[in-house]
Amino acid sequence: MKNRTLILSALVAGAFGSAHAAEDLSAKVEKLVASSFKPGEGQDMSRLAQDETQKLCSKYRNNPPAKDADAITKRERATIKYPDGNKLMGDWKNGEKLAKGGFGMRIGAIEPDPAAKQKGGNGGNCYACHALDPKEVAAGNIGPSLTGYGALRGASDDIVTYTYDKLYNAQATVACSSMPRMGHNGILTPAQVADITAYLVSPESPLNQK
């Protein structure tokens, strides 16, 4: 939803060109978007409303000024929660399952996910955007390849913490990152984020085997 303003800006610039017209069109589009999704089982209607960070990213087309970028990362970093005992490296085998499964909290009236699976229920659908296990051919390329992630970076405390934070809330490290805020939005629990962290970093993980 965070690119909504980009569409509005293009429409307004081409067809209207005034601040009043922009506000009027914005209100109409917001109403249209809201009416396109029907409440019911499996529908998380709260996702239709942008939070402060999403509004800023839309306003600046995902390229905010340094001051706003700093404000975003500071605010988002404050949302990060860690597992019990602050153990950021979990079970890489479970992390492998979580990376391969899940729908990332999709919404829609055609086939909504059961409520039990929407948040912390099944996985992060990581392969939709990233290549991970080199043996898996069905992988996305929207995000960078994560094959050999730990082999290239090592498994220092700094790398583990960075990886966990990035998975939990990507905007805590890069303002207006296009990566979903997995932990922040409840798609993954802190323990699950730790499991995927281990999958990426652990030397035993198939990602890091030559």
Side-chain angles (χ1 to χ4, degrees), residues 125-131 139-145 178-180:
N125 194 23
C126 303
Y127 277 97
C129 297
H130 301 280
N141 58 9
I142 296 174
S145 172
S178 58
M179 181 172 171

Side-chain angles (χ1 to χ4, degrees), residues 166-202:
K166 181 78 172 181
L167 289 168
Y168 191 95
N169 188 338
Q171 300 224 36
T173 58
V174 178
C176 299
S177 170
S178 58
M179 181 172 171
R181 294 175 289 178
M182 295 293 188
H184 174 79
N185 289 328
I187 300 170
L188 298 170
T189 66
Q192 289 175 324
V193 174
D195 288 343
I196 297 180
T197 298
Y199 180 51
L200 291 172
V201 175
S202 174

Side-chain angles (χ1 to χ4, degrees), residues 80-91 160 164-165 168 189-197:
I80 295 177
K81 297 178 181 179
Y82 296 106
D84 293 340
N86 286 330
K87 184 180 179 182
L88 305 189
M89 285 272 282
D91 179 353
V160 171
Y164 181 96
D165 290 353
Y168 191 95
T189 66
Q192 289 175 324
V193 174
D195 288 343
I196 297 180
T197 298

Side-chain angles (χ1 to χ4, degrees), residues 40-80:
E41 183 180 359
Q43 305 300 330
D44 183 0
M45 304 302 288
S46 67
R47 296 186 66 210
L48 298 177
Q50 291 185 316
D51 63 18
E52 188 175 358
T53 289
Q54 290 171 321
K55 288 177 181 178
L56 268 177
C57 291
S58 291
K59 177 180 178 180
Y60 293 111
R61 301 191 179 192
N62 295 337
N63 187 28
K67 181 179 178 180
D68 292 290
D70 289 343
I72 288 172
T73 55
K74 182 178 181 180
R75 177 172 58 248
E76 297 300 313
R77 182 165 294 279
T79 73
I80 295 177

Side-chain angles (χ1 to χ4, degrees), residues 29-40:
V29 171
E30 292 292 337
K31 183 177 179 180
L32 178 62
V33 170
S35 66
S36 297
F37 294 90
K38 306 300 181 184

